[in-house]
């Protein structure tokens, strides 16, 4: 298994950042153990560069003519190994060496056709697209694994997406530039591209789960037959007689929802760390309905769903992120290792280097733009946790306006996906 070359850079001028990244990529491609003949590139830019998306893509593709396929998008922040760039001009690139018959780039004007049997897919989407959650679910159902991963573009400017195939444009898109707005795009992978993916939500339930017994669109009216607002106030130990204290507590509270079809004994999955499992979708509380004693959420709800009020904090976020990294390592690392391999993998942070023995060629991390370092205790702390827990591996990603995993559109989560060797 060869490691995927990757690079990241920041500079007020996009051309300087692109050239810094190119220098890193070329240096790695010349190293033993790194892929020397990649054909697929993932490109993520911060929204400071969004207006220059076409120029960036044109420059990078001209300088890397061996790369025939490109995919990516924009975020208010981007991620790479051990570092994040928030609210500053930056880009990150990773070059993948995969069999040409095991992936396909797709976009809204060149949808994934029936000629390619997709096992999984990396998805970039525009959150302003009508029924985007339904489109994601439909795409997941068209994959053999029923699993897609990725996120919604996040930008204070154009919400751009990149999609370029072998001839410089995706078949069917005419002479378009490879930079898109709206819809879905990404890369579908065949069954021979081995992936391991995990979702981290990083929130703790306040109390047990309840069944929604009455609802009106996005307003929960009753939980277990009791007024929803009454349940919320009781679990937060506040009262509307002291509205200021109550509003502060409610603003720091979210709701974990589970679809009826996912329920086991009407209870959302709570892991041993106390965190929610991937079947739970966490949504903000956006208002109260005192007249009906209801609680309004940032998503539609239906009777029969399970709901558990929850809160986020640094400790919960860190613990759950370390959990998913540990699960990935446990799945990939062999039971027995040669002494040389074990020594390399046990190196300190200062001495660590990407190593094929980790079983990871590269990784993609999509996190919520409401998370990031500050949510984990400091600048780049989220990515530093991944590096310490997962090891020093090639990694790129972005901070999204919504995260995609399985057939769900999540909020306030992280989705970590690694490419493994068979």
């Amino acid at each position: 298994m060869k490691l995927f070359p990757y690079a990241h850079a920041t500079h007020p001028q996009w051309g300087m950042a692109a050239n810094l990244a190119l220098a890193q990529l070329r240096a790695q491609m010349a190293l033993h153990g790194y892929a020397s003949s990649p054909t697929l590139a993932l490109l993520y830019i911060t929204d400071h560069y969004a207006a220059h998306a076409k120029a960036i893509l044109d420059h990078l593709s001209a300088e890397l003519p061996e790369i025939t396929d490109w995919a990516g998008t924009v975020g208010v922040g981007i991620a790479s190994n051990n570092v994040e760039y928030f609210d500053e001009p930056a880009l990150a690139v990773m070059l993948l060496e995969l069999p040409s018959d095991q992936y396909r780039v797709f976009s809204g004007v060149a949808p994934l056709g029936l000629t390619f049997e997709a096992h999984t897919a990396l998805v970039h989407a525009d959150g302003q697209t009508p029924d985007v959650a339904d489109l994601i679910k439909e795409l997941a159902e068209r994959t053999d694994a029923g699993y897609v991963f990725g996120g919604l573009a996040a930008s204070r400017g154009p919400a751009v997406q990149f999609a370029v195939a072998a001839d410089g444009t995706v078949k069917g898109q005419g002479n378009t530039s490879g930079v898109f707005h709206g819809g879905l795009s990404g890369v579908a992978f065949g069954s021979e591209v081995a992936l391991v993916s995990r979702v981290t939500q990083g929130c703790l339930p306040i109390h047990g789960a309840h069944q929604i017994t009455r609802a009106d669109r996005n307003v929960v009216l009753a939980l277990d037959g009791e007024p929803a607002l009454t349940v919320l106030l009781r679990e937060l130990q506040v009262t509307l007689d002291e509205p200021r204290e109550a509003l502060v507590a409610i603003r720091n509270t979210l709701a974990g929802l589970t679809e009826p079809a996912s329920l086991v004994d009407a209870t959302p999955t709570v892991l041993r760390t106390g965190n929610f499992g991937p079947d739970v979708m966490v949504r903000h509380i956006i208002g109260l309905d005192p007249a009906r004693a209801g609680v309004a959420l940032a998503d539609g709800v239906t009777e029969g769903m399970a709901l558990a009020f929850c809160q986020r904090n640094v400790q919960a976020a860190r613990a759950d992120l370390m959990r998913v990294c540990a699960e990935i390592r446990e799945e990939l690392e062999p039971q027995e290792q040669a002494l040389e391999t074990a020594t390399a993998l046990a190196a300190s942070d200062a001495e660590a280097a990407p190593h094929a023995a980790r079983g990871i060629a590269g990784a993609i991390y999509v996190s919520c733009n409401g998370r990031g370092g500050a949510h984990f205790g400091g600048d780049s702390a989220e990515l530093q946790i991944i590096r310490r827990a997962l090891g020093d591996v090639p990694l790129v990603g972005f901070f999204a306006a919504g995260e995609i995993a399985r057939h769900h559109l999540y909020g306030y989560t992280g989705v970590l996906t690694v490419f493994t060797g068979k």
Side-chain angles (χ1 to χ4, degrees):
M1 181 197 65
K2 295 182 179 180
L3 299 166
F4 296 156
Y6 75 106
H8 54 91
T10 177
H11 195 279
Q13 299 178 18
W14 68 261
M16 291 295 294
N19 288 334
L20 288 169
L22 286 167
Q24 297 171 50
L25 294 171
R26 288 168 176 150
Q28 290 178 18
M29 291 170 67
L31 293 175
H32 175 73
Y34 279 86
S36 59
S37 302
T39 57
L40 170 64
L42 300 180
L43 169 62
Y44 297 110
I45 62 174
T46 63
D47 58 358
H48 286 255
Y49 288 156
H52 308 288
K54 183 180 185 303
I56 292 171
L57 180 60
D58 287 347
H59 179 69
L60 290 175
S61 57
E63 292 293 324
L64 295 168
E66 66 272 32
I67 304 299
T68 57
D69 305 273
W70 293 78
T73 192
V74 61
V76 294
I78 61 170
S80 193
N81 180 21
N82 210 44
V83 65
E84 63 189 31
Y85 298 96
F86 255 103
D87 198 23
E88 60 181 314
L91 55 82
V93 187
M94 187 162 68
L95 308 182
L96 287 68
E97 187 172 279
L98 302 173
S100 60
D101 63 345
Q102 288 298 307
Y103 71 88
R104 289 290 185 277
V105 175
F106 63 90
S107 74
V109 297
L112 187 61
L114 299 176
T115 58
F116 182 75
E117 189 172 341
H119 188 68
T120 58
L122 166 64
V123 182
H124 307 122
D126 187 333
Q128 300 301 313
T129 300
D131 302 320
V132 65
D134 292 336
L135 293 174
I136 292 167
K137 183 177 180 180
E138 179 184 351
L139 181 60
E141 291 172 347
R142 295 178 58 193
T143 66
D144 293 340
Y147 191 96
V148 296
F149 61 98
L152 303 184
S155 176
R156 291 159 292 190
V160 299
Q161 300 171 48
F162 302 105
V164 176
D167 60 355
T169 58
V170 176
K171 183 179 180 181
Q173 73 187 32
N175 294 321
T176 53
S177 65
V179 176
F180 295 90
H181 304 270
L184 275 60
S185 67
V187 187
F189 299 103
S191 59
E192 293 182 19
V193 179
L195 302 171
V196 177
S197 188
R198 293 290 186 274
V199 178
T200 172
Q201 307 223 42
C203 57
L204 296 175
I206 299 171
H207 201 267
H210 308 277
Q211 187 176 41
I212 298 177
T213 50
R214 195 157 60 93
D216 180 12
R217 291 179 292 184
N218 70 319
V219 181
V220 181
L221 297 173
L223 294 169
D224 300 329
E226 188 176 4
L229 182 55
T230 301
V231 175
L232 172 61
L233 295 174
R234 182 174 64 238
E235 294 191 353
L236 294 178
Q237 299 181 352
V238 295
T239 173
L240 293 182
D241 294 334
E242 299 176 342
R244 180 173 298 178
E245 290 78 3
L247 288 175
V248 169
I250 291 170
R251 287 194 185 106
N252 292 324
T253 304
L254 304 100
L257 299 171
T258 308
E259 296 283 354
S262 303
L263 297 177
V264 178
D265 297 327
T267 303
T269 301
V270 178
L271 304 168
R272 286 180 294 176
T273 55
N275 299 83
F276 285 138
D279 58 332
V280 181
M281 295 172 290
V282 178
R283 297 293 186 259
H284 265 309
I285 296 173
I286 60 173
L288 305 178
D289 187 344
R292 296 187 293 175
V295 179
L297 306 181
D299 202 352
V301 292
T302 58
E303 295 176 6
M305 278 183 165
L307 181 151
F309 294 114
C310 56
Q311 293 179 332
R312 298 183 184 279
N313 55 56
V314 171
Q315 291 75 22
R318 293 172 66 92
D320 201 46
L321 183 56
M322 288 188 286
R323 172 190 64 81
V324 300
C325 292
E327 287 182 2
I328 290 173
R329 290 192 63 167
E330 183 177 358
E331 183 165 340
L332 296 181
E333 291 183 356
Q335 295 295 318
E336 297 181 0
Q337 296 177 343
L339 178 60
E340 180 182 358
T341 300
T343 301
L345 298 185
S348 66
D349 283 353
E351 299 170 334
H355 198 290
R358 291 193 176 92
I360 299 174
I364 300 171
Y365 187 56
V366 180
S367 185
C368 177
N369 56 25
R371 285 164 57 103
H375 187 64
F376 288 81
D379 292 343
S380 296
E382 185 173 9
L383 277 301
Q384 290 167 5
I385 290 170
I386 293 175
R387 185 178 188 266
R388 287 194 296 269
L390 197 62
D392 192 10
V393 300
L395 182 150
V396 296
F398 69 107
F399 290 86
E403 301 76 58
I404 299 167
R406 302 168 72 202
H407 58 277
H408 291 314
L409 177 59
Y410 291 91
Y412 321 105
T413 64
V415 180
L416 178 60
T417 305
V418 302
F419 293 84
T420 73
K422 283 193 172 184

